[in-house]
Amino acid sequence: MPVSVRQESAAFPPPPSGADAADATATAAATADATATADATAASAAVGNAVGSAVGNRAVAGVTDAAAATDAAAAMDDADVTDAGPAVDTGSVPDARSVTGAAVDAGSAGDTGSAADVASMTGAGAMAESVHGLTLLVIEDDPAGPVSVPRMLDASGRPVRVRTARNLTEAQRLLTDDVHCILLDLALTGVAECGEPAASGEGGKGRELPDVAGELDILRHVLRLAPRHAVLALTDGADAERAAEAVRVGAQDYLFRDELDGRLLSRAIRYAVERKRADLAQRQLTESRLRAQENARLERGLLPRPLLEGSELKFAARYRPGRSRALLGGDFYDTVRTADGVVHAMIGDVCGHGPDEAALGVELRIAWRALTFAGLCGDELLGNLQKVLEHERASDEIFATLCTVDIAPDGRSAGVCLAGHPSPLFVGSGGAAPRLLPYDEGGPALGLLPKARWPRRQVELGRAWSLMMYTDGLIEGRIGGEPAGPAARGGRTRERLGQSGMLSIVARRMSEGARGEALLDATMGDVRALNGGELTDDVAVILLDRD
């Protein structure tokens, strides 16, 4: 007994790998920034793209000169920034969340689904920078004296705001969402342990907790404290290997204490911010695609597997959900052969196109199969299915149409029940033209009337025949080769294909010799061509043949 099922859906591209994904995502972010923000923001995004791979390579190779890493950014740096004296501590901590933080949080909660969505998220962060300017948090406690942070201007000419923390407890208080970058002195000592606030001691001064072991442990501590912020490691110029190791641990770049100047630091900050955005975008995109692949495997597992062992009937099916990048829609179907030799076929349609409707369709299909194997059919089966629908639907407005057919063991007759569903297409032997089975004795859709009845109509099939069951997505496409909506000619709405149009397509294709899978493929192709593109509704079609 040949069985063919084909499920059509949009392909999922494989997850990006390594530096290619980071570069591609960073480029998308820069494009979104250039379109949505001022030239200054676009220049900032371009810096991150231009040097995005340079520091990644440096982290692996262990480049020993911090200035060499930032020379690559100089080619893209059009800001005229010079040393302008000592650092200025603004001392102010805005309470409002920045657009950057909000965009990242929104991306973490939802499924971006594509590189364009992730680019939009990172573009919002760049816009926040354009509106409010850059903010740098310096974490250092050098006994020889504080780190001298020169006055800097960001890409748009605004002064870079600087905050200074002497330990991690103070840094945690100052680390708000409007901070774009952290400059961490790896020689920091006397820091509080993560998540433990400093206690008040005598004179109102905070009590410093034991040191975090090792300079890189301090860096890991900060990375855990600020997972969405760019981090620059500041270290002694005598130990370049340790600086490179800091990048491998997770810092976006490193700087040597004796080489700080306004131009170098400004460039490094803007590069680190863009690199961090690219890293976050790559992570969001990869996680999104992994979730999409997991969902695809789950949905594919929920598609029906016809059980027709021992039957002489040939089975073929086509299924295409209306939702973008989905494998399941509100349409559902199934076919089984029971122990008495009767072949039962069913096709249905839950109103709507979302994931809730798809889930309800799966529940109804599984319930139908269980009830069929329990020996129910016709009105009794549909009445129980309506109870399942009423208990499982999200609202009282949800309903489902259904068509069931039970074919006698000899294959020459069948019982048909319609619950608000289009009547099956039937083609008899001897070159007979396709026609619709009688539908004047059907009942209402499931979920509309509490005490509805669904009469079962007996039909004769003959020796050789074809029976095509379908959902309304196949016949509600438009004709005329233009997108759905008002036509260009006179502003009139284009006609729907309808059952008569479907009959014409099937008749023409069968006259050309198409049968089985070839008939379904040709019919689906013709309907899409007449519609002027893909159909917007879910489509399910099954075909049973007896030679």
Side-chain angles (χ1 to χ4, degrees):
M1 182 282 304
V3 175
S4 170
V5 181
R6 179 179 302 172
Q7 188 274 335
E8 304 178 12
S9 66
F12 289 93
S17 60
D20 293 339
D23 293 340
T25 311
T27 303
T31 304
D33 295 344
T35 304
T37 65
D39 292 341
T41 306
S44 176
V47 170
N49 297 330
V51 300
S53 60
V55 166
N57 294 333
R58 185 182 65 179
V60 176
V63 177
T64 59
D65 189 1
T70 53
D71 286 342
M76 300 298 296
D77 188 7
D78 57 357
D80 185 13
V81 182
T82 58
D83 294 351
V88 177
D89 191 344
T90 63
S92 61
V93 183
D95 295 330
R97 289 174 60 86
S98 68
V99 179
T100 307
V104 173
D105 293 342
S108 301
D111 189 345
T112 56
S114 66
D117 297 333
V118 176
S120 176
M121 175 195 70
T122 54
M127 182 173 292
E129 173 189 324
S130 176
V131 173
H132 303 293
L134 282 170
T135 300
L136 174 68
L137 174 61
V138 180
I139 307 176
E140 60 86 23
D141 187 18
D142 191 349
V147 175
S148 177
V149 180
R151 180 179 175 84
M152 298 169 291
L153 302 178
D154 62 18
S156 59
R158 296 184 179 90
V160 175
R161 295 175 295 178
V162 180
R163 302 174 187 170
T164 302
R166 300 300 180 183
N167 53 53
L168 292 188
T169 299
E170 188 175 348
Q172 190 170 6
R173 178 177 61 84
L174 296 176
L175 189 61
T176 53
D177 286 334
D178 60 334
V179 172
H180 298 89
C181 186
I182 298 172
L183 179 61
L184 173 65
D185 187 354
L186 294 183
L188 182 68
T189 60
V191 296
E193 294 181 357
C194 183
E196 185 173 346
S200 297
E202 295 183 3
K205 295 182 179 180
R207 176 181 60 84
E208 292 182 344
L209 298 177
D211 294 352
V212 176
E215 295 179 355
L216 292 183
D217 286 342
I218 295 173
L219 173 60
R220 295 185 182 96
H221 195 120
V222 171
L223 292 173
R224 289 194 299 268
L225 188 67
R228 293 189 177 92
H229 292 75
V231 176
L232 290 171
L234 184 65
T235 188
D236 189 350
D239 195 349
E241 180 60 31
R242 181 178 55 193
E245 181 65 23
V247 175
R248 284 191 285 268
V249 168
Q252 273 62 57
D253 202 351
Y254 63 79
L255 295 171
F256 293 136
R257 191 176 289 104
D258 56 356
E259 294 181 349
L260 285 183
D261 63 68
R263 185 181 183 86
L264 176 64
L265 182 57
S266 176
R267 226 174 21 236
I269 290 172
R270 285 184 283 128
Y271 157 73
V273 170
E274 295 303 327
R275 176 60 187 267
K276 186 64 178 182
R277 286 176 183 157
D279 291 344
L280 288 174
Q282 178 193 10
R283 180 175 179 178
Q284 292 278 345
L285 182 61
T286 301
E287 290 178 353
S288 172
R289 287 180 171 169
L290 288 175
R291 284 194 298 269
Q293 290 175 348
E294 182 178 351
N295 291 339
R297 288 193 295 270
L298 176 62
E299 292 184 4
R300 192 175 294 112
L302 294 175
L303 290 171
R305 298 175 182 270
L307 301 178
L308 292 175
E309 184 177 357
S311 173
E312 61 181 3
L313 301 183
K314 297 178 182 178
F315 175 89
R318 296 294 181 268
Y319 186 93
R320 184 174 184 85
R323 290 187 297 137
S324 174
R325 298 204 304 268
L327 293 179
L328 280 177
D331 291 2
F332 55 99
Y333 68 89
D334 203 354
T335 305
V336 298
R337 180 178 183 267
T338 51
D340 57 3
V342 176
V343 172
H344 302 262
M346 173 273 294
I347 194 165
D349 182 3
V350 177
C351 65
H353 311 287
D356 292 339
E357 289 75 13
L360 182 56
V362 171
E363 291 179 278
L364 292 175
R365 179 185 66 79
I366 294 174
W368 176 87
R369 176 176 284 198
L371 293 170
T372 299
F373 280 124
L376 278 65
C377 69
D379 180 73
E380 186 180 9
L381 186 149
L382 292 175
N384 282 278
L385 273 185
Q386 175 157 281
K387 292 179 182 178
V388 174
L389 172 66
E390 290 172 347
H391 284 87
E392 299 296 334
R393 61 185 176 184
S395 68
D396 292 342
E397 289 74 24
I398 300 297
F399 64 90
T401 66
L402 204 72
C403 172
T404 67
V405 175
D406 53 278
I407 303 170
D410 62 4
R412 291 179 174 270
S413 62
V416 181
C417 287
L418 296 176
H421 199 86
S423 180
L425 180 150
F426 175 75
V427 182
S429 59
R435 62 182 176 86
L436 299 177
L437 291 180
Y439 53 86
D440 53 344
E441 296 182 5
L446 302 182
L448 293 183
L449 300 177
K451 297 181 180 181
R453 302 300 299 270
W454 296 273
R456 177 177 176 272
R457 184 185 183 98
Q458 189 75 14
V459 296
E460 295 299 322
L461 302 178
R463 184 186 61 82
W465 48 264
S466 296
L467 185 67
M468 191 171 80
M469 304 166 68
Y470 53 92
T471 57
D472 59 3
L474 183 68
I475 59 177
E476 289 186 351
R478 305 285 179 171
I479 58 177
E482 299 176 1
R489 300 181 300 275
R492 293 178 298 176
T493 303
R494 293 165 49 205
E495 295 181 13
R496 293 192 182 277
L497 175 66
Q499 291 175 300
S500 60
M502 177 193 65
L503 287 170
S504 299
I505 291 175
V506 173
R508 177 168 55 84
R509 288 299 184 176
M510 292 191 72
S511 67
E512 297 171 357
R515 297 291 187 275
E517 291 187 62
L519 177 60
L520 289 186
D521 288 336
T523 301
M524 293 282 287
D526 289 347
V527 171
R528 281 196 291 260
L530 289 173
N531 190 62
E534 289 295 340
L535 302 169
T536 57
D537 197 4
D538 303 332
V539 178
V541 187
I542 63 176
L543 181 65
L544 292 167
D545 289 309
R546 184 173 187 265
D547 295 332

